[in-house]
């Protein structure tokens, strides 16, 4: 038993060193070329009275078929050589339809850019209609069938004060947009509130982190401290990152989130003292806030209601996480009164560690996502 405890303690310190190494490498280490966020594309559609301006970002990772010298990067010469092919791909695979009729497409320009430290190409497109635009259908089929089946595209639609958003993937290739009637700030804020709730409910890594923390909580008071520390911490970094004061490599942020779960799981196993768990929660909550900010950047914030949309998104996250905590709390408190409490903590923490460590391997590119 003592030997096992020493091994777990060593694992705990390895995780600490990995977390520190992650942040030391944030500014200059990009070698995790196959990690989860690198094939994300982004779309911003701005609706005009009779046209839609479409700004499309595609990462280099997803355009490797145009990499003539196979160096992992697209040069200006390679882009220029395949400009016609790129234009034709977009013309045939991204369509906007109004009343089931395709809108007229025109290719404005392209340029090399980066988004969240990921190199790619930004295309400026235009779709026009002979009649006033109050709604349209987007058909998005880029990359899914051949080049990158795991490609995602996060789309933000701006129509005056209206805002809408969706995510395209291989299973969801179309979306119908209809303008809000009438447009209102309340409708925009409600959308971002729901996005916050949805993000935390589908953010299984964040939920697993919370579960691993409250798994050993002694009672309501400890749980309140943990939830409060997590809320304050991630709100700080979410705000700072969204306002542009903090900008870090998303690969390392997502990896650090997985490491934070591993660390807490190991501590649950080897330690019997959790009085200062709220301090640990606050420190790791800062990292999770950067993860929330990354998700929000993928969606985008409307300029007209930037701060208020940010705050309502964060409120949605808080409401979502409280709903989950209240749902599992009776079960956790009941288990703590049982004679098998310590066994349950150890078994649960081992399972949490395995899941989080698998995420870590995916996010640093050691194994393929979903592998």
């Amino acid at each position: 038993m003592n030997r096992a405890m020493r091994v777990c303690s060593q694992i705990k310190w390895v995780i600490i060193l990995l977390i520190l190494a992650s942040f030391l490498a944030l500014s200059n280490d990009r070698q995790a070329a196959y990690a989860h966020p690198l094939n994300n594309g982004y779309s911003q559609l701005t609706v005009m009275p009779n046209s839609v301006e479409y700004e499309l970002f595609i990462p280099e990772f997803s355009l490797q078929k145009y990499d003539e010298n196979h160096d992992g990067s697209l040069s200006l010469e390679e882009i220029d050589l395949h400009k016609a092919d790129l234009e034709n791909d977009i013309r045939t695979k991204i369509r906007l339809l109004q009343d089931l009729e395709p809108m007229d497409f025109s290719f404005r320009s392209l340029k090399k850019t980066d988004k969240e430290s990921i190199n790619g190409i930004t295309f400026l497109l235009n779709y026009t209609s002979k009649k006033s635009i109050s709604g349209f259908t987007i058909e998005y089929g880029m990359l899914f069938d051949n080049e990158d089946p795991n490609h995602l595209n996060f789309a933000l639609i701006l129509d005056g004060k209206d805002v809408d958003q969706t995510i395209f993937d291989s299973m969801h290739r179309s979306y119908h947009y209809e303008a809000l009637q009438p447009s209102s700030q309340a409708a925009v804020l409600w959308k971002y509130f729901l996005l916050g709730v949805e993000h935390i409910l589908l953010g299984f890594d964040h939920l697993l982190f919370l579960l691993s923390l409250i798994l050993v909580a002694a009672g309501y008071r400890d749980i309140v401290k943990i939830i409060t520390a997590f809320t304050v911490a991630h709100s700080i970094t979410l705000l700072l990152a969204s306002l542009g004061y903090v900008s870090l490599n998303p690969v390392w942020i997502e990896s650090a989130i997985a490491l934070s779960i591993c660390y807490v799981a190991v501590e649950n196993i080897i330690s019997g003292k959790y009085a200062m768990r709220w301090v640990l929660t606050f420190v790791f909550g800062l990292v999770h806030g950067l993860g929330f900010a990354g998700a929000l950047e993928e969606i985008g914030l409307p300029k007209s209601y930037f701060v208020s949309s940010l705050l309502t998104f964060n409120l949605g996250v808080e409401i979502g996480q409280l709903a989950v905590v209240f749902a599992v709390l009776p079960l956790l408190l009941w288990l703590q009164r049982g004679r098998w409490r310590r066994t349950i903590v150890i078994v649960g923490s081992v399972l949490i560690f395995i899941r989080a460590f698998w995420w870590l391997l995916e996010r640093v590119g050691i194994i393929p996502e979903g592998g």
Side-chain angles (χ1 to χ4, degrees):
M1 177 64 72
N2 289 335
R3 184 179 179 184
M5 297 291 281
R6 285 197 298 270
V7 171
C8 287
S9 182
Q10 291 169 355
I11 293 173
K12 173 181 173 180
W13 283 107
V14 167
I15 293 172
I16 292 174
L17 292 173
L18 285 172
I19 292 171
L20 292 174
S22 298
F23 283 101
L24 289 174
L26 281 171
S27 60
N28 55 16
D29 196 332
R30 292 282 312 283
Q31 63 183 342
Y34 295 95
H36 152 70
L38 298 186
N39 59 352
N40 289 353
Y42 304 92
S43 296
Q44 179 169 303
L45 294 82
T46 304
V47 181
M48 305 296 184
N50 293 92
S51 66
V52 177
E53 298 286 343
Y54 194 136
E55 181 178 307
L56 170 70
F57 174 84
I58 300 291
E60 288 185 351
F61 175 85
S62 301
L63 297 172
Q64 291 303 301
K65 72 174 184 179
Y66 301 116
D67 182 13
E68 293 286 337
N69 58 9
H70 305 291
D71 64 350
S73 177
L74 293 179
S75 66
L76 294 175
E77 291 75 16
E78 289 168 332
I79 293 173
D80 188 61
L81 177 65
H82 293 287
K83 182 177 179 181
D85 296 326
L86 288 164
E87 179 178 348
N88 186 61
D89 267 358
I90 294 172
R91 181 187 301 274
T92 56
K93 295 179 180 178
I94 303 180
R95 301 198 308 163
L96 268 60
L97 296 87
Q98 189 179 31
D99 298 329
L100 302 180
E101 292 294 325
M103 298 169 65
D104 294 330
F105 168 85
S106 62
F107 187 94
R108 295 287 177 85
S109 65
L110 62 81
K111 61 180 179 179
K112 287 198 68 172
T113 55
D114 68 85
K115 190 174 182 69
E116 294 187 32
S117 303
I118 299 172
N119 293 326
I121 301 177
T122 294
F123 303 88
L124 297 182
L125 320 169
N126 182 264
Y127 295 82
T128 58
S129 173
K130 296 182 175 63
K131 48 189 175 181
S132 180
I133 297 175
S134 60
F136 54 87
T137 298
I138 308 168
E139 292 184 349
Y140 185 95
M142 288 290 290
L143 307 171
F144 297 136
D145 295 324
N146 298 308
E147 297 90 346
D148 187 2
N150 294 320
H151 173 67
L152 297 176
N153 188 282
F154 297 84
L156 176 69
I157 304 168
L158 304 175
D159 185 1
K161 292 184 178 181
D162 290 355
V163 62
D164 200 359
Q165 61 285 310
T166 190
I167 302 174
F168 296 107
D169 58 27
S170 59
M171 300 298 293
H172 305 89
R173 304 191 184 194
S174 66
Y175 181 76
H176 181 74
Y177 165 74
E178 198 69 38
L180 294 173
Q181 297 294 335
S183 60
S184 67
Q185 182 180 11
V188 173
L189 298 185
W190 177 245
K191 282 181 177 289
Y192 276 87
F193 173 80
L194 294 178
L195 276 172
V197 174
E198 178 183 355
H199 180 72
I200 190 65
L201 294 181
L202 297 179
F204 300 116
D205 49 358
H206 304 297
L207 292 178
L208 204 59
F209 175 70
L210 273 176
L211 177 61
S212 63
L213 288 166
I214 65 176
L215 188 61
V216 296
Y220 288 107
R221 181 176 297 179
D222 283 351
I223 292 173
V224 170
K225 287 181 180 179
I226 289 170
I227 297 299
T228 302
F230 186 63
T231 297
V232 173
H234 76 64
S235 297
I236 290 171
T237 45
L238 172 59
L239 181 63
L240 291 176
S242 298
L243 293 176
Y245 293 109
V246 179
S247 180
L248 301 177
N249 190 319
V251 174
W252 288 97
I253 293 172
E254 294 300 319
S255 301
I257 288 173
L259 277 171
S260 72
I261 305 169
C262 290
Y263 178 91
V264 174
V266 171
E267 188 175 78
N268 287 350
I269 296 169
I270 67 174
S271 177
K273 298 178 180 179
Y274 312 108
M276 300 299 288
R277 180 52 70 93
W278 68 270
V279 176
L280 180 71
T281 304
F282 182 86
V283 173
F284 286 142
L286 296 172
V287 180
H288 284 252
L290 295 174
F292 292 144
L296 191 55
E297 184 172 351
E298 292 172 350
I299 300 166
L301 285 165
K303 294 181 180 179
S304 302
Y305 309 122
F306 186 91
V307 175
S308 54
S309 296
L310 172 60
L311 294 176
T312 52
F313 175 86
N314 193 45
L315 179 61
V317 170
E318 310 313 327
I319 296 299
Q321 77 180 19
L322 286 175
V324 172
V325 169
F326 284 132
V328 302
L329 188 57
L331 176 61
L332 290 175
L333 294 177
W334 177 76
L335 290 174
Q336 287 179 358
R337 293 194 293 267
R339 57 183 297 188
W340 300 102
R341 177 178 182 273
R342 186 61 187 159
T343 301
I344 291 171
V345 168
I346 292 175
V347 172
S349 296
V350 168
L351 295 175
I352 289 171
F353 177 87
I354 293 171
R355 173 68 265 194
F357 191 70
W358 191 268
W359 278 328
L360 176 63
L361 296 179
E362 288 181 333
R363 292 172 183 186
V364 300
I366 294 176
I367 60 174
E369 184 182 3

